[in-house]
Each structure stands twice: as C-alpha cells, then as structure tokens.
Amino acid sequence: MSTSITPDTQSLMQELITAMQSGSLSSGTGSTNGAGQSDGTQNTQEEAKLAEVFQELMSLLKQGNQEGSASPGSDTASPAISAATGSSASATPVTGSTSPATSASSNTSSPAATTSGASSVSAGDGPNTTTITNTSNHDEKIGQFLNGGSTTQPTAEIDLKPGQTGTLKYENGQGGYDAEADSSGNFQSTASRLEFYADAKGVNNDDVSYIDGRNASIKVSDGNGKTAGDSQSIAADAPSNAITKDAGGRATVTGWYDGSTQGMKDGGAYMESKLGTGNAYIHPDDDPNATGSNPMTMAQDPSQHYTADFGDA
C-alpha cells in the first residue's frame, strides 16, 4: 500500500521545501513549529504559520493513506507529483516490463510470417493462373517466359519441393510458356514447355510441347474436362543417343525440333511411340492433325484457371 499524493499536499510540501532552503517564510507561508521561537515578532508569526501548515500537511497525508487503502489503483503516483519531481513514473512502465499491447504483439507471429513446408507460392500478375504441383522426387524451379523476352531469364518463377504447389499468373493479351530448370537452376532450350496464350478477353489457348526436348512430364487441365500432356516417366527406356543428363543426373529426352540429327529423329520417334501425338506436340506440324491426334485440344478455352503437374521425364 502506498500514499496517494494530492495537489494540495504537493503544494504544502513545496512550501516547506522553500522555507527550509531560504531560512524564512515568504508571502505569509510558514516555517517550523513554535518550539524554538526567536525574539522577533516576524519570526513568531512565521513559526505560528509553519505550525499550522505542518498540521494541515499531516492531516492531508493521513487522509491520503485512508483513501489509498480503499482504492486498488493507488499504487501509482499521480501525474501531478510525477511532473513536479521529474519522476519517470507513469501508468505505463518503461523499464523492465512491457505493456499489454506490446506483449500481445511480441509473443504472437502475424499470419503473414507463418510458413509451412506445404504452403503455396505465387509469382507473376494477371487474371489467368496456372497452379503447378511438383509430382517429381526432386526440387523444381519453374519459370515463366513471355513471348519476345529472354529464354534464359524468366519473368516470374516459383520453387517447389516434391508435393508442393505454386501458381504462375499472366495478363490478358500475354503469351509464353512455363518450363523447369535443370538441377543447377539454369533454364535450357531443350526443356518441356507448357505453352499458353490469353487474348484480350481472357480466352486461352494452352498446350504441352516436347518439340525442343523433354526434361519433365507435364499434364494440364482446365477443370472443365479438357486436358493436355501426360504424367508418364519414359526417359529410362529412351535410346542412348536420344538421352542426356545434367550435372544432377536428371534426364532429358532429345526433341525432334527440325529432325536434323539422328538423335532428334530417334528421340521424336521414341516419344511418339510412347505418347502418341494427340496430347502434346512431338513434331512442329502436329496441330494440323485430325481430331484425336491434334495436340490443340485446349484451344479457345474460356477457362482462365489451369492446374498442372510437373513430374519426371
């Protein structure tokens, strides 16, 4: 229990301090009790006044103690005495403690700071989305490349652990492709491609292409019954001259491209024998094929939201 100091008490205390410092009382304020009177009339008057002040001060202090014992909030000095004495005491402790508001914020992580190993990642901008799941047994870096831009530096990219899902976005009027980097994090021209284009109204044309090579299986769906690509792993049985491996041992099946080398011819023939030509581009001129063997099954698609799996080649 402590004493609550009122403004009146504070004023009387200040009078006593002033009297003791000056050795006399000024402006009619008191000094000390009458036990040691001097011979002068002025001292007698001052001492009598001081006795009166002293008695009043004791009365106020006693009253403050009684009020303090009845009030649960009397442990903190009043703002008036804090200001007068230069004390740093206030309703909010400033040393060795934290206010309730600060304590709550410092002990609880914000939702934005919370992470999870299975959490989604997102990159790019626009109303069109491709949500990709890593179905391989290794980490994947998937880059988005826009038409007319770099083929080695993506405009957006996501890093996915096995089983993790992320989203790449693009604007209406934009086209390009999504591809997986090699084990060193570099994007090669021989990668599988998930190709996309959205017109000004958001009507899409999506397809899967292995023309340049196949370093991943890609399967994509519009959620409305249309699909393209595949989820098979076929690299292990590819002809030796139609397979390459990067520094991490990941395989790429050589694509047909223009058929100018035997490896391209063998790789194209092998992929066609395993996958056909209806779900993905194996040769550059597959799109004129009849229905059932034409890879453009998702052309003029009103959906703007696609899901895809990137798996092993």
Side-chain angles (χ1 to χ4, degrees), residues 198-216:
D199 68 15
K201 297 181 179 180
V203 176
N204 274 261
N205 291 269
D206 279 39
D207 65 78
V208 174
S209 175
Y210 302 132
I211 295 174
D212 297 302
R214 176 187 168 100
N215 70 335

Side-chain angles (χ1 to χ4, degrees), residues 66-313:
Q66 291 173 345
E67 292 175 351
S69 63
S71 174
S74 62
D75 287 342
T76 303
S78 69
I81 191 65
S82 297
T85 61
S87 169
S88 62
S90 65
T92 303
V94 295
T95 304
S97 65
T98 308
S99 68
T102 303
S103 177
S105 63
S106 63
N107 291 330
T108 305
S109 298
S110 66
T114 303
T115 58
S116 169
S119 64
S120 297
V121 292
S122 181
D125 294 292
N128 306 283
T129 62
T130 304
T131 299
I132 299 170
T133 299
N134 176 0
T135 58
S136 74
N137 59 5
H138 57 264
D139 293 355
E140 293 181 343
K141 177 183 287 187
I142 310 296
Q144 179 186 90
F145 297 84
L146 297 180
N147 292 337
S150 173
T151 58
T152 58
Q153 297 296 322
T155 57
E157 65 181 49
I158 52 178
D159 293 300
L160 304 176
K161 300 288 185 183
Q164 191 176 15
T165 296
T167 299
L168 290 170
K169 304 176 183 180
Y170 54 98
E171 302 281 1
N172 290 342
Q174 287 184 333
Y177 64 90
D178 302 327
E180 179 184 338
D182 64 18
S183 60
S184 299
N186 299 315
F187 292 94
Q188 306 293 342
S189 60
T190 54
S192 307
R193 296 186 178 193
L194 172 52
E195 299 179 326
F196 61 85
Y197 172 73
D199 68 15
K201 297 181 179 180
V203 176
N204 274 261
N205 291 269
D206 279 39
D207 65 78
V208 174
S209 175
Y210 302 132
I211 295 174
D212 297 302
R214 176 187 168 100
N215 70 335
S217 62
I218 299 176
K219 186 171 185 178
V220 61
S221 170
D222 69 350
N224 296 314
K226 292 183 179 181
T227 63
D230 70 282
S231 56
Q232 301 181 57
S233 178
I234 64 173
D237 296 327
S240 58
N241 69 321
I243 196 83
T244 58
K245 293 186 177 182
D246 64 20
R250 299 184 198 171
T252 295
V253 181
T254 303
W256 173 269
Y257 191 56
D258 60 4
S260 59
T261 67
Q262 191 60 47
M264 292 177 184
K265 294 176 183 177
D266 291 346
Y270 174 71
M271 283 193 279
E272 184 175 356
S273 69
K274 289 288 187 178
L275 307 173
T277 59
N279 292 320
Y281 275 97
I282 305 297
H283 310 95
D285 56 356
D286 283 342
D287 53 325
N289 293 346
T291 302
S293 59
N294 189 316
M296 292 299 294
T297 57
M298 300 179 75
Q300 300 301 305
D301 194 334
S303 175
Q304 291 183 278
H305 307 289
Y306 298 84
T307 58
D309 294 338
F310 273 60
D312 294 318

